[in-house]
Amino acid sequence: MSQATAAATMGVNETPTSDPLIKIEGLTRYFDVSKPLLNRVIERVPRQLLRAVHDVNFSIHAGETFALVGESGCGKSTVARMVAGLIAPSAGSVSFEGVDRAAARSAAEERKIRRRFQMIFQDPFASLNPRWRVDRIISEPIRAFGLAQDKQEIDHQVGELLKVVKLDPADGAKFPHEFSGGQRQRIAIARALSNKPEFIICDEPTSALDVSVQAQILNLMRDLQDEFGLTYLFISHNLAVVRHMATRIGVMYLGKLVEDAPSRELFKDPRHPYTRMLLDAVPDIDMSGRARTPVKGEVPNPINPPSGCTFHPRCPFAFDRCRKEEPALLPVSENHFASCHAVAEGRIESLGAGVQE
Amino acid sequence: MSDPLLQVRDLVVEFPTRRGTLTAVDKVSFDIAPGEVLGVVGESGAGKSLTGTAIINLLEPPGRIGGGEVILQGERIDNLPQEEMRKIRGKRIGMVFQDPLTSLNPLYTIGEQLTETIQTHMKLTDAAARIRAIELLSEVGIPAPESRIDAYPHQFSGGMRQRVVIALALAANPVLVLADEPTTALDVSVQAQIIALLKKTCAEHGAAVMLITHDMGVIAETADRVAVMYAGRIVEIGPVREVIKNAKHPYTDGLMASIPSLTHEAERLAQIEGSMPRLTAIPDGCAFHPRCPQAFDRCRRERPELLDADTTQAACWLYAKEEAVT
């Protein structure tokens, strides 16, 4: 599928197969981390802004799973929250079927769009109200959007939803604390499905779960995607999980999208040095003894990011230009984008097929 | 092989409650050889951390050791008075915990905490202890240790703090380092560095490591042998390569298959149905039988001990026949 947004802004010929469901353009978010006003006046320090997300562009087509991957503090969750409309972007836009969400003219219109969105959060212990019974939790979106009025109809729908996530309809009468972590995440998924959304934002949905439970939830999410034709924005720090789930992956580093490629291609032929480093850092569970470059350094403080390309202090390919000039996200091949001077200048060779295997 | 450094025999950890005593760790036995890295892996609630805390006698009441023995270098340590045990913790057994922010005191500088530990266990003057502290910091890869030693924990990043914690654990040249989820709070790129560091420094100091984690990848990178725990028991123990590549116990096998891979694509992940039983409802017989695809009659009635299963030992009746033959 085409990466219409980035391609258009780069002035490259684009061949869109269809209009994307979600289009994110120039999405930017600053957080004010300055000291209180009085301190600023007395100590004569300026305002301080943290650049959490900077000029992120991507689009998601219907039925796709777009994954954002990166380390903590890279801005992936901030992107998710802006897409969900939980926080407003400082600049840029999120469009849903070509309609800019911020420009939605009326509250009714906004509601209409919002009904087609849902979100699944990381911690199923924090995202479910402990004082509500499960049926009330699951039916809240149905009631909030007025999708059914009749109590019997709502109960019926809740029972069906519980069956969809492989729980017992009788579980509706229980409280969240009676369930294990995996079961709670199933409840959260049932709630997310209750207003029949088309697009679900999943922010680290399995990070709080054990691996055997994670496998159950990931399988369930894929089954639901096939059954209901869902589109996912999947946020994770776990590359193996992302590889399993995503059709397309965006790698983020310090608030910027550094590489964007179809899942298979990203793992076969990662181009950005940061992506390569991340892949090398994952413990080798297959014990294949594959050659790996040791990782160096840590993610710098986003309040004071390095000049030029923010990855340059850790990058083995860094040269003078990287320290001065911020690279743009440029196509390296059809559908594959990287923001790296060394890649653009051809100093980083393609790994070619089969090297990672 | 030489005498084991640490022997754990039939260790039981229990929690008395109003509705009866819950057994969280149930007759766990294993050895650690000098210089060996033993990985202990399992899902949350399997009892792996409790096993670790029981060894160093730091169980939170009402949890208590309900039976068994812990023997360090031939000497029983599970029944020592707290005062004696304090001298062993830090000196002969070093500890690294999950969250480096909570294991360092925010009110003292790194140097104060290091020299305190060093002087508690070794007779050194203030100046000598400081030199030793700087040595340790440079050993764990802290740049410019001479100036960084006077910094406070909040001035360090997460990875740097965990390096300091490792330095603290190694301060008194312990024979065993107990690392409980040492990389779980860290990002993947930092995790790789910390694993490498832990492995390298412990090898240089000749310390054995008991590495407790839920992450099979970390185990594969680090451990020599691995013990897999389920519902308070060790279900399989053996050389790391065998357990990971060629698991014998159906639980280990299922666990390995459920991990998404970086190199192979799969339409679906293998999944173990259900979840680990709660302590209040551990099934009779083998605790895994309700989830086990290969369970048969005996599994429901009788509880298997660790049996020889070719290259590893597995607590599974599937391997009972071989035992009868030999």
Side-chain angles (χ1 to χ4, degrees):
Chain A
M1 257 168 247
S2 89
Q3 223 288 0
T5 314
T9 48
M10 302 313 155
V12 174
N13 289 335
E14 44 165 322
T15 48
T17 47
S18 63
D19 282 336
L21 185 69
I22 302 281
K23 194 166 175 179
I24 279 139
E25 283 170 296
L27 198 66
T28 301
R29 173 75 202 198
Y30 292 95
F31 288 111
D32 191 341
V33 291
S34 337
K35 290 186 172 176
L37 177 69
L38 195 61
N39 290 73
R40 288 206 308 272
V41 172
I42 294 171
E43 295 165 25
R44 290 165 192 267
V45 287
R47 263 187 181 282
Q48 215 172 17
L49 292 179
L50 182 148
R51 196 180 76 174
V53 173
H54 183 67
D55 194 20
V56 167
N57 299 290
F58 61 86
S59 45
I60 311 174
H61 290 260
E64 254 193 338
T65 301
F66 186 92
L68 279 178
V69 65
E71 298 180 275
S72 33
C74 72
K76 55 193 193 300
S77 287
T78 309
V79 170
R81 295 172 68 185
M82 285 192 280
V83 173
L86 296 176
I87 51 174
S90 306
S93 67
V94 177
S95 325
F96 190 73
E97 283 184 338
V99 182
D100 185 350
R101 290 203 56 186
R105 277 167 295 277
S106 63
E109 203 169 319
E110 167 67 23
R111 252 176 104 73
K112 239 187 196 163
I113 295 180
R114 189 158 271 204
R115 195 188 71 70
R116 300 163 69 186
F117 273 64
Q118 263 299 356
M119 192 153 179
I120 300 169
F121 297 93
Q122 171 169 358
D123 186 355
F125 291 79
S127 66
L128 304 177
N129 187 334
R131 290 164 185 273
W132 283 17
R133 290 184 194 274
V134 167
D135 51 5
R136 189 170 168 204
I137 292 173
I138 294 177
S139 64
E140 192 186 14
I142 302 179
R143 284 180 280 113
F145 288 110
L147 301 177
Q149 310 296 339
D150 181 27
K151 180 162 187 320
Q152 233 182 341
E153 173 59 21
I154 293 179
D155 285 348
H156 174 72
Q157 287 193 13
V158 169
E160 288 299 309
L161 286 163
L162 281 167
K163 271 193 247 169
V164 163
V165 296
K166 308 209 167 66
L167 290 172
D168 189 343
D171 286 337
K174 294 184 185 167
F175 285 100
H177 74 257
E178 297 174 65
F179 296 92
S180 68
Q183 289 170 323
R184 281 185 221 210
Q185 202 60 301
R186 287 171 194 268
I187 295 169
I189 292 172
R191 174 179 60 186
L193 292 174
S194 68
N195 57 324
K196 304 196 173 59
E198 291 151 53
F199 176 58
I200 299 185
I201 300 151
C202 321
D203 190 357
E204 305 260 15
T206 59
S207 304
L209 306 175
D210 279 316
V211 279
S212 73
V213 180
Q214 164 174 289
Q216 296 171 6
I217 298 294
L218 293 179
N219 282 341
L220 176 68
M221 287 179 64
R222 275 180 75 149
D223 292 347
L224 296 174
Q225 181 166 38
D226 293 345
E227 197 176 335
F228 300 107
L230 298 170
T231 306
Y232 290 134
L233 171 61
F234 193 93
I235 313 287
S236 182
H237 68 278
N238 186 327
L239 283 161
V241 167
V242 160
R243 171 169 186 155
H244 181 70
M245 292 298 288
T247 43
R248 190 169 183 94
I249 297 174
V251 182
M252 287 189 72
Y253 185 74
L254 271 181
K256 291 195 72 178
L257 201 59
V258 296
E259 188 158 5
D260 176 356
S263 173
R264 200 164 288 169
E265 184 161 336
L266 188 87
F267 283 94
K268 207 165 68 185
D269 187 15
R271 300 304 289 271
H272 197 284
Y274 176 64
T275 313
R276 290 186 178 180
M277 192 196 85
L278 262 189
L279 285 168
D280 273 352
V282 178
D284 184 7
I285 196 162
D286 297 316
M287 305 186 80
S288 55
R290 73 187 143 106
R292 297 155 65 188
T293 343
V295 179
K296 61 175 191 179
E298 290 185 38
V299 182
N301 187 344
I303 294 178
N304 191 11
S307 62
C309 169
T310 48
F311 186 61
H312 85 252
R314 303 174 75 186
C315 181
F317 300 93
F319 62 122
D320 221 33
R321 189 177 166 198
C322 303
R323 283 178 268 275
K324 290 186 202 129
E325 203 184 315
E326 213 167 314
L329 194 66
L330 297 171
V332 287
S333 63
E334 198 193 348
N335 269 333
H336 190 158
F337 301 82
S339 74
C340 176
H341 293 311
V343 172
E345 289 169 11
R347 290 193 299 116
I348 295 181
E349 291 295 311
S350 159
L351 289 175
V355 176
Q356 276 288 308
E357 295 292 320
Chain B
M1 214 161 75
S2 54
D3 283 344
L5 175 79
L6 181 83
Q7 289 173 282
V8 176
R9 290 281 163 272
D10 294 328
L11 183 70
V12 176
V13 175
E14 50 188 30
F15 288 82
T17 69
R18 268 177 297 173
R19 283 183 231 157
T21 304
L22 299 180
T23 310
V25 175
D26 196 359
K27 294 204 171 163
V28 161
S29 303
F30 59 88
D31 292 345
I32 301 180
E36 183 187 42
V37 181
L38 176 78
V40 178
V41 73
E43 299 183 86
S44 26
K48 53 193 193 303
S49 282
L50 281 173
T51 306
T53 26
I55 288 170
I56 52 174
N57 214 335
L58 277 183
L59 285 171
E60 292 267 353
R64 61 175 188 222
I65 296 182
E69 291 180 1
V70 180
I71 297 157
L72 180 69
Q73 294 176 314
E75 174 199 358
R76 222 180 132 176
I77 60 166
D78 57 293
N79 52 3
L80 288 179
Q82 278 301 335
E83 202 43 47
E84 292 290 307
M85 197 59 211
R86 270 185 49 173
K87 288 181 190 151
I88 291 178
R89 284 195 296 264
K91 173 139 185 70
R92 289 164 65 194
I93 305 180
M95 281 102 63
V96 179
F97 294 112
Q98 174 170 349
D99 186 355
L101 196 52
T102 49
S103 41
L104 293 171
N105 189 330
L107 300 178
Y108 292 93
T109 63
I110 299 297
E112 283 165 342
Q113 301 185 47
L114 270 168
T115 46
E116 185 196 354
T117 309
I118 293 167
Q119 288 185 310
T120 308
H121 299 294
M122 301 163 117
K123 285 199 169 31
L124 286 178
T125 61
D126 289 356
R130 192 180 161 87
I131 290 169
R132 166 114 181 109
I134 292 173
E135 270 171 25
L136 281 164
L137 287 178
S138 83
E139 205 179 318
V140 295
I142 305 268
E146 302 81 6
S147 55
R148 294 296 268 165
I149 188 168
D150 294 316
Y152 287 89
H154 74 266
Q155 294 169 300
F156 283 67
S157 66
M160 285 296 160
R161 275 185 218 130
Q162 199 62 304
R163 287 170 191 267
V164 172
V165 173
I166 292 175
L168 267 173
L170 293 170
N173 281 323
V175 287
L176 174 69
V177 172
L178 184 79
D180 190 353
E181 303 273 9
T183 59
T184 308
L186 305 173
D187 273 318
V188 52
S189 71
V190 180
Q191 167 178 304
Q193 301 173 38
I194 295 295
I195 296 173
L197 175 76
L198 187 72
K199 204 174 169 177
K200 182 181 124 242
T201 47
C202 290
E204 280 167 9
H205 284 249
V209 182
M210 177 171 167
L211 176 69
I212 299 168
T213 178
H214 68 279
D215 189 334
M216 270 291 186
V218 171
I219 294 277
E221 290 271 283
T222 324
D224 301 317
R225 276 193 316 138
V226 56
V228 183
M229 288 191 72
Y230 182 81
R233 295 174 197 162
I234 291 181
V235 293
E236 181 157 8
I237 185 165
V240 67
R241 183 169 269 281
E242 292 302 322
V243 173
I244 282 181
K245 288 276 198 191
N246 198 4
K248 296 294 188 300
H249 196 283
Y251 172 67
T252 322
D253 200 30
L255 190 67
M256 292 310 305
S258 68
I259 302 171
S261 161
L262 259 191
T263 45
H264 309 289
E265 254 171 86
E267 218 12 71
R268 286 181 72 81
L269 296 167
Q271 61 181 55
I272 313 176
E273 294 303 333
S275 54
M276 193 152 59
R278 294 183 180 198
L279 287 182
T280 45
I282 292 185
D284 287 336
C286 170
F288 186 60
H289 86 252
R291 301 174 75 190
C292 182
Q294 300 177 64
F296 52 100
D297 217 33
R298 193 173 180 187
C299 308
R300 284 178 268 274
R301 283 183 281 111
E302 257 180 282
R303 182 183 139 178
E305 298 296 329
L306 279 174
L307 304 168
D308 277 329
D310 198 8
T311 44
T312 73
Q313 287 184 299
C316 180
W317 289 126
L318 288 175
Y319 302 99
K321 281 183 211 129
E322 293 173 24
E323 198 191 36
V325 172
T326 46

